[in-house]
Structures are given as structure tokens and as C-alpha cells.
Amino acid sequence: MNREHLRSLFTTKSARVETNRGEAYYARLYEQCKARLEELKKIEPLRKISIKEILEDEGVSRRDFLKWASATTAMLMLPSSFTPLVAEAAELMTRVPVIWIELQDCAGNSEAFIRSDGPKVDDIILEIISLEFQETLMAAAGHQAEAQLEDAMEHFKGKYLLFVEGAIPVGPGREWCTIGASGETFEEHLKRVAKDAAAIVAVGTCATFGGVPAAAPNPTGAVGVMDIVNDKPIINIPACPANPANMVGVILHYVLTGQIPELDSLLRPKFAFGYRIHDNCERRAHFDAGEFVEEWGDEGAKNNFCLYKMGCKGPMTFNNCSIVRYNESVNWPIGSGHGCIGCSEPGFWDKYAYERPMADANIKMAPGGGVEKSVDEFGLGLLTAAGVGIAIHAAASAIAGKKSEGEE
Amino acid sequence: MRIELLEKIEGEAFLKFQKDKKIITDVKVIFPHYRGIEEILRGRNPWDALVINPRICGICGHAHLQATAMVLESIFQITITQKAQKIREITRFCEIIQNHIKWFYLVIFHELGILYDFTKVHHLIITINKLLALFSGQWPHSSYCVIGGVTCDPTSFEIYQAKTLIRQIKDQFIQLIGELHDPLNLTNDLQKLYHTLQEKELLLVGKSHDRFITFSQDSHVSNIKLLHGQKRKTKLTLIEENEQKRSYAKNVTYNGKYYETGPLARLMQQTDPFIRYFHRRFKDSITTRIIARIYEVSLLIEKIIDHLATIDLSQPSVVESKMQDGTAIISIEAARGSLIHQATIHQGKIETYNIITPTQWNLSNGTSQNPSVIQKAIIGTSDEKIANLIFRSFDICSVCTTH
């Protein structure tokens, strides 16, 4: 396995998303979005808040807001001519109701959501989003909250976006996981609330693929939303936690087009999951140069070398962390010197989430497999080969490195 | 018998009340969730626990991550550098601070119907998370803390950034809560809280056993229990955990007694005049408990400032570790009190892993002869709304408890 081979392995066409759909397509989409926004303007806003006023109060200039809109347009993989429409969509976000329910979760996505990162404008947008029901954020609790959920479902029948956080246990012991005073199981609850949703957004790896509760031996038989609901459009935003920028992106896209964004085979929006961490990693140059961290805290670590040999799963993880980053873009896991753990991939607890390169993986399997075969086999096959290749690549580049030093 | 459902506590819980002529005579706490983290950990490589355990909780996952590293370091007999220790404390204190502020407003102010400036609170929380992420990569659920230390290697530039952020945090906090020097002269939102409790005649509700326990040792606390005003060192070996019927949360006692853990327990072991004043006047009522939690923020901000000033960047971030078999039990302070992790490694695999969360200490279900902390605090109340407020004064974490 020489360097050329390795390069081709990680830069194959299949790993890229062709984002340009051609002029005719965008012209049509533009008109469609405009019509959609006109329609929304006719609707009475759900909350009497205007983003313009909030922005003024917050000291965010119109120019900053448009900058944000243009960054978001790029994130959504739309041509820059859509920027004014995205700005307008943000102003109309109060007209799309969002209901958010929590199932078998740790509340990590709620926590991430209410600390939305990205530009400051995102935070403000979260304040004016029409969040009709969100346990952590709303004033009501207990029976009052249940009544509020009923009201929102009734009032916005067929119109609301349903955000689901947490997995759904369907195995033995599922009766341990109930919600509300009625003792409804998570599965019953999800089906009931999903029935009248316009679309469902599964946030976080638990709601998408079962996440940590589904890790072997999956004691509660946890599954994701798409394993339960099959008659609704579903958008998966995996990762642990999901990046709030992607949550806001999906809502905006929906406001803008009235449709869900383009998805991959795992129902993930391509604008966020269309490329790998590895493709846009700030340490990619070190990978190409064959410079790796070999031990925690070694010279390589001090010089921000590539973390692949320390078990980084960047090459087989699709997500936009390397571009969007976290917590107001201040940092991201690789920035703090730890490899990607692959938290947005299906079954990652059993396949990826450990501190060793794939080649040395000794994986605990759930009875009956428990992880998606295709992705799994592809990933493992690819990685074991790559693991071997990387070692050769690393050795070869070390020699090459010495040579060039000698020449100087 | 009435069942009251509670949310907004990072998950759900039920309170089952028994009443006699309007007065609550008994209460049971039920957590109707379960994920089975301890089962999932069995048979895995110890390093995997570093990735799985933070997911126990979305708001104190950082404490779980550090507890995991600590218990494994204890088994592998590793001592981390002072630099790694300080970085871990800075990030953990940040997590505690942002939890306290979020709880103070989103839970307590909501509950009491006090108005506040959401945008200001929101920005403060975001700034704290930013400081945290500067070292940890992201929040929630970071992976920068490994066996032997931390993976980040901050330069003086990051330390400078961190100092700027902590200054902003301190300013924003004072703007919201006020300066906390004189307990007789509360200002801003803390004054609002105090007046509201006074008006609603709630200053003295929610008294419990007045017994406090802390198991951890760091630059902020020591492992001390307080019983009848007597301080004693605590031993992790005297903890007993018992399963309960109809709930996945386990009961937990120390030497057969229920103790309160959390910010109030942490501050009561210090001779801080601010908290002592409230304790003298209101004992361990909700007033003292709520004020302790928000007052702790001001102390932790100072600790972070101090750590940033004294950190020695020339030390290694990580020391080498070698896996070995063994058993250990450790404690670390999380936002809601002492968090205990216990692990046995056999033939290089996790044989057993046991987690005791702070909420288990405060919310066990005792008997009428030996009521738990929450039961003692609620029994005798006549109003379920007040019982609900007392319950929330402990800052409950259901997802932790039902790991």
C-alpha cells in the first residue's frame, strides 16, 4: 500500500458530495422559496416577537445579521444569491411551530441546543423560534406541561416540526421507561406525538440510531426514531451531542423551502453530513505529511500532529464539526488534542468509540450483531487495510522527512 | 395517595404523596427511566468507559468523564501532573457554574414566577461554556480528559483568552446576581429571590436533617461529613447502596444514615461567614440551599482565576499509563454533590462498574423511622406546590440517577 494508493483511498469520489445542482435547479428552487416565504408572511406569527427588534436590542447590526445569513446559506449548500431569502426565513421563524420531546436521553442535545453556538445571531434566533414545547426551557411542568403539549399538538395539527431527543426502548424492561402521569411508554408517546407532525427531526445519536443505550448488550432494546415511525419524513441529525448549528440549519431550511433538506441513505442532511471530518480537518496536512501523534503528550501532540494513530475516527465519520466547530466556534474535540470518536456514525459505541486505531479493534458485539452491517463491514474493511497502509505511509514519510531535512 | 409528575430536572420523576388531613405524611420518589450504562460497560476495554460514561448525563457529563479517568488512574496507580489537575478543575468548575446559573433561573425563578432577563442569563451561560470548550474541545460530552491527564496543551495565548473570558463571566455574574459580600445587603436578582421567598413565607420551609457529607478532595472541598456540628473525615468504604422496588434508582446511606450532599454541604465545611449567616437564621431550609448554590458560583470563579494565574505550562499534560488489574473507588464533586465511581478491572476488561450519583444521596427513599433527606424536608408540608419547590431546591438529576 503506497502513498498514492492511500491517498486514493481517502479521496475517492464516493466520499464527496456533489453539491452543485445546476442553474436551472436553483432558479426553480429560488422561485419556490420566494413563494413559500410569501405564504408564511400571510400567517399570523405564533409569537409576537420580531427579530429586527431583538437584534437592535442586542446591538447586532443589520450587516452582522446579513453576514450570518450568508454563512448559513453556505452551510446549507445554497448559492450566495439565496442569502436575502435565508435572512427573510430567519425573520419568519416564528411562524413554524416546533415541539421537542425527550425520551431515553441524557438531555445533552437540549443542553447543546439552548447554548447554540455559531454566530451570536443563532442564539437570538433560538429565542424567537416558535418552540411550543420544550421541557427544559418552558415555564410549565408536570400536568400543566402535559396539557401544553396536547394544546400545541391540537392547535398546530399537521404543521409542527417534531424534534425527538433520546432512544426508544422496545426490549424487555421497556415498561421502566414511561412518560407523564398516564404511564405511557416511550414508544406509545412517540407514536402519538408523531402522528400529526409535518416532519420529524431526530437529534443526537440516541434518537437516530439508538445511541449509547443501544450499545452492546443493549439492555433495554433501544432503537432510533426511524425504527419506530415509518410514515413521516424523518431527518436525522446524529452526533453526541448533535451540533446546534445543524439543528438551526434544518429548521431554517424547512422555513425557507417548506421541504426537508436533501438527505443521504441514513437520512442525514447532506449539507452537514456530506463530507468527512478528515476531509476538512485542520490537522489534515500532518496526515498527508505522515506526521502522527504516537503517544499522548509526545512532541507530536505538542505540535498538533495528526491523531489517526491515537484512534481518531475522522476518516470514517461524516459530519461538519471540522468546519462549524462548537461553543461559538471556540474549539472542537480535535482542537483539544483528542481524536474524533465517530459519534455521529451508526453503532459507533461498539465500532468506533475507543481509544485505539481501527486495526487493533477488539469489539464487543451485541448478541445478533446489533450494528448495521453495510456501514460496519465497509468501515472495518476499509480501516483495517488503511491501518496497515498508514503504518507504511508513516514509515515512508518519516524516511522522506529525514531526507528533506538533510537537503536543507 | 396523589401522584405528582415532575419534569425539567434533566429527565422526569414522580412524587407519591400520602396525606393525612392535608398534611403530607409520607413521600416516595420514583424515577421511571433506565438505560443500563453499568451493564453496557461490562466486558469492555477500560478506555471505552471514558467515552461511554460522559453520556450518563448531558449536564454533568464532564464530572463523569473525570471520575472515570480518576478511578482508572487509581487502579493503574498513576499520579497526574499539577497542570493536568488544574485544567481538569477549571473545566469542571465551569460545568458546575453554568449548571448553577441555569438552575437558578430556569428552575427556581420559573417556579417562583420571578421575572428575569433571559438574554443576559443565556449569554453568561454561553460564555462559561466557551471557556470550558477552550480546554475541552466542546461541551457537552468532551473527550479531552484521558487516563494520565488531559490531551490539550494550552499555550500562554489560550491562558490569556481564558483570563479574558473569566473576567467577562465575573462581570456578567455580578451584573445579574450582585456583589456577594454582605448577607445583610443583597442586591439585584439575589435580592429579588430573597424578597419573593419572604413574601411567600417560604424562608423556613424544606428543613431536613442538617447533616452534610462530601467525599471528594480538591482545591475547593475536603472529604468531610457534618453531624451535629461535628466534622469527621469520610471513608468511601462505609457507603451502602440498596436496590428499591419499583424504581431503578438505588438508595444510598453512610453508616446507616442519610446525608445531604451538594453545594450547601460543600460550603458548610468551610467557615464562610456569608453562608453561615443564612444557616444560622434559616438552618438547612430552601433559602440556605438555594443561596448556597448561587453563592458557590462566586467562589468557583475566584478559584478559576487563581488556577489560571498559577498554572505551570511547562509540565506535561499527560503522563504515561500502563494498564493493570485491580479495584478502586473514588469521589469527585459534580454540580449536585459527591459523585462516586467504583470499578474492577480483571484481565484487562471491565468486570464491574458502579456509579453512585449525588441525586441518590438527596433523594433516596427511607422509612418513617429513618426518613431520607428529601422525605425529611417534605414531610409535614401541607401544600404540594411547596413540596415541589423543596424537591427542586436539591437540583435533581434524573438522568444521572437512572444511568
Side-chain angles (χ1 to χ4, degrees), chain A residues 154-222:
Chain A
E154 186 53 41
H155 191 87
F156 302 113
K157 206 171 174 159
K159 289 202 180 76
Y160 57 88
L161 277 181
L162 172 63
F163 276 64
V164 181
E165 175 180 14
I168 305 97
V170 294
R174 61 186 175 273
E175 63 280 1
W176 283 105
C177 295
T178 59
I179 204 154
S182 60
E184 203 176 21
T185 65
F186 284 175
E187 187 181 356
E188 291 161 348
H189 186 71
L190 171 64
K191 284 181 169 162
R192 186 167 64 88
V193 185
K195 197 166 113 336
D196 294 322
I200 303 175
V201 185
V203 280
T205 302
C206 293
T208 48
F209 311 123
V212 76
N218 195 347
T220 55

Side-chain angles (χ1 to χ4, degrees), chain B residues 34-310:
Chain B
Y34 180 64
R35 283 170 299 160
I37 303 278
E38 289 168 0
E39 290 178 61
I40 288 167
L41 287 166
R42 254 171 249 147
R44 284 179 192 259
N45 181 308
W47 278 83
D48 297 4
L50 288 167
V51 186
I52 289 172
N53 289 348
R55 273 77 188 174
I56 287 169
C57 181
I59 191 149
C60 52
H62 216 73
H64 282 284
L65 170 69
Q66 293 189 13
T68 309
M70 271 172 73
V71 78
L72 294 171
E73 279 155 5
S74 174
I75 294 172
F76 305 163
Q77 297 173 356
I78 297 164
T79 311
I80 64 170
T81 61
Q82 189 210 25
K83 169 181 157 188
Q85 191 64 42
K86 284 200 168 164
I87 292 175
R88 283 186 189 181
E89 280 197 6
I90 290 169
T91 56
R92 187 162 51 87
F93 292 164
C94 281
E95 180 173 83
I96 294 174
I97 291 172
Q98 57 95 34
N99 171 73
H100 288 358
I101 290 166
K102 181 179 159 252
W103 165 88
F104 188 70
Y105 287 103
L106 284 178
V107 176
I108 298 298
F109 271 46
H110 270 202
E111 219 37 55
L112 292 165
I114 312 172
L115 294 176
Y116 62 95
D117 185 337
F118 178 79
T119 311
K120 274 202 175 117
V121 172
H122 190 206
H123 280 295
L124 173 55
I125 291 173
I126 284 175
T127 315
I128 298 162
N129 283 119
K130 210 166 156 174
L131 171 56
L132 207 170
L134 197 60
F135 295 100
S136 75
Q138 71 177 63
W139 191 92
H141 299 334
S142 45
S143 48
Y144 81 115
C145 174
V146 291
I147 301 164
V150 292
T151 60
C152 63
D153 217 334
T155 60
S156 16
F157 177 71
E158 272 94 23
I159 299 297
Y160 176 75
Q161 264 183 304
K163 284 177 177 169
T164 309
L165 286 167
I166 194 72
R167 256 203 314 273
Q168 288 173 5
I169 291 163
K170 189 175 172 173
D171 292 349
Q172 290 178 32
F173 177 75
I174 290 170
Q175 270 185 24
L176 282 167
I177 309 284
E179 295 268 10
L180 302 177
H181 299 313
D182 179 2
L184 294 166
N185 188 13
L186 301 177
T187 56
N188 307 26
D189 284 352
L190 195 55
Q191 185 189 37
K192 266 193 221 168
L193 170 92
Y194 187 84
H195 284 172
T196 310
L197 290 172
Q198 203 170 20
E199 274 165 28
K200 297 186 183 233
E201 294 179 357
L202 294 170
L203 285 170
L204 284 160
V205 303
K207 284 186 200 168
S208 186
H209 295 291
D210 212 13
R211 296 197 291 247
F212 305 105
I213 205 156
T214 305
F215 290 96
S216 327
Q217 276 173 298
D218 56 27
S219 69
H220 177 48
V221 290
S222 308
N223 54 329
I224 283 175
K225 74 172 168 79
L226 280 158
L227 181 61
H228 315 307
Q230 295 290 314
K231 285 186 188 180
R232 286 269 184 283
K233 284 273 178 207
T234 46
K235 292 195 198 75
L236 290 160
T237 42
L238 292 173
I239 297 171
E240 259 184 88
E241 216 187 1
N242 295 311
E243 300 209 352
Q244 313 183 47
K245 276 186 203 157
R246 297 236 30 233
S247 179
Y248 258 111
K250 291 175 184 161
N251 271 335
V252 57
T253 52
Y254 183 80
N255 221 350
K257 284 196 175 68
Y258 292 105
Y259 283 86
E260 176 171 342
T261 183
L264 181 54
R266 290 194 284 254
L267 298 185
M268 284 307 292
Q269 58 170 255
Q270 304 169 14
T271 48
D272 189 293
F274 192 88
I275 282 304
R276 284 299 158 104
Y277 167 83
F278 289 102
H279 187 259
R280 262 199 314 277
R281 282 191 62 192
F282 309 112
K283 286 284 171 281
D284 57 339
S285 72
I286 60 167
T287 309
T288 319
R289 205 173 288 126
I290 294 170
I291 290 176
R293 194 172 297 268
I294 203 73
Y295 178 66
E296 187 175 52
V297 173
S298 66
L299 300 182
L300 292 177
I301 288 175
E302 294 310 318
K303 284 267 183 265
I304 293 173
I305 291 172
D306 193 50
H307 280 359
L308 288 171
T310 54

Side-chain angles (χ1 to χ4, degrees), chain A residues 63-376:
Chain A
R63 197 162 153 257
D64 285 341
F65 176 59
L66 286 174
K67 266 192 212 158
W68 171 87
S70 115
T72 306
T73 307
M75 188 186 97
L76 294 171
M77 294 188 178
L78 294 167
S80 58
S81 59
F82 277 68
T83 304
L85 291 185
V86 170
E88 204 175 335
E91 287 167 7
L92 292 167
M93 270 169 103
T94 45
R95 288 166 170 82
V96 172
V98 172
I99 292 178
W100 180 304
I101 59 170
E102 292 181 51
L103 304 169
Q104 215 178 359
D105 70 331
C106 74
N109 295 292
S110 292
E111 294 298 335
F113 185 62
I114 59 182
R115 287 171 188 70
S116 175
D117 42 16
K120 273 274 189 289
V121 183
D122 275 13
D123 314 338
I124 296 161
I125 285 195
L126 283 184
E127 284 178 45
I128 64 148
I129 211 171
S130 185
L131 205 53
E132 295 306 309
F133 182 87
Q134 215 287 2
E135 211 180 85
T136 315
L137 281 175
M138 59 192 204
H143 297 288
Q144 208 186 349
E146 284 184 50
Q148 196 167 328
L149 175 63
E150 300 295 325
D151 285 355
M153 282 162 56
E154 186 53 41
H155 191 87
F156 302 113
K157 206 171 174 159
K159 289 202 180 76
Y160 57 88
L161 277 181
L162 172 63
F163 276 64
V164 181
E165 175 180 14
I168 305 97
V170 294
R174 61 186 175 273
E175 63 280 1
W176 283 105
C177 295
T178 59
I179 204 154
S182 60
E184 203 176 21
T185 65
F186 284 175
E187 187 181 356
E188 291 161 348
H189 186 71
L190 171 64
K191 284 181 169 162
R192 186 167 64 88
V193 185
K195 197 166 113 336
D196 294 322
I200 303 175
V201 185
V203 280
T205 302
C206 293
T208 48
F209 311 123
V212 76
N218 195 347
T220 55
V223 296
V225 174
M226 63 183 173
D227 300 311
I228 302 279
V229 180
N230 50 16
D231 56 348
K232 289 278 167 195
I234 295 176
I235 306 159
N236 282 334
I237 311 181
C240 186
N243 198 320
N246 297 335
M247 306 179 201
V248 174
V250 164
I251 300 172
L252 261 177
H253 191 284
Y254 181 77
V255 172
L256 185 65
T257 61
Q259 296 169 354
I260 61 172
E262 198 180 346
L263 307 174
D264 69 5
S265 61
L266 291 168
L267 309 182
R268 306 180 289 195
K270 282 189 180 174
F271 73 74
F273 298 90
Y275 40 86
R276 293 165 310 176
I277 300 289
H278 189 65
D279 299 336
N280 298 298
C281 179
E282 62 201 30
R283 300 189 180 202
R284 178 58 188 263
H286 291 292
F287 172 86
D288 291 344
E291 296 171 336
F292 298 99
V293 177
E294 309 277 347
E295 285 288 335
W296 294 122
D298 66 4
E299 276 310 300
K302 288 192 177 74
N303 291 306
N304 299 340
F305 282 8
C306 173
L307 290 154
Y308 181 82
K309 286 190 176 181
M310 298 310 290
C312 180
K313 307 297 180 291
M316 48 286 201
T317 305
F318 290 84
N319 207 339
N320 57 355
C321 321
S322 40
I323 295 171
V324 178
R325 307 177 104 201
Y326 282 92
N327 303 93
E328 299 210 300
S329 309
V330 68
N331 208 347
W332 65 304
I334 288 172
S336 70
H338 191 285
C340 163
I341 59 171
C343 72
S344 53
E345 291 299 314
F348 95 97
W349 301 103
D350 298 318
K351 292 186 327 196
Y352 290 176
Y354 46 74
E355 309 282 340
R356 306 173 294 289
M358 290 304 280
D360 324 340
N362 178 2
I363 293 168
K364 175 180 173 182
M365 278 297 215
V371 283
E372 282 79 341
K373 282 251 182 317
S374 60
V375 180
D376 187 35

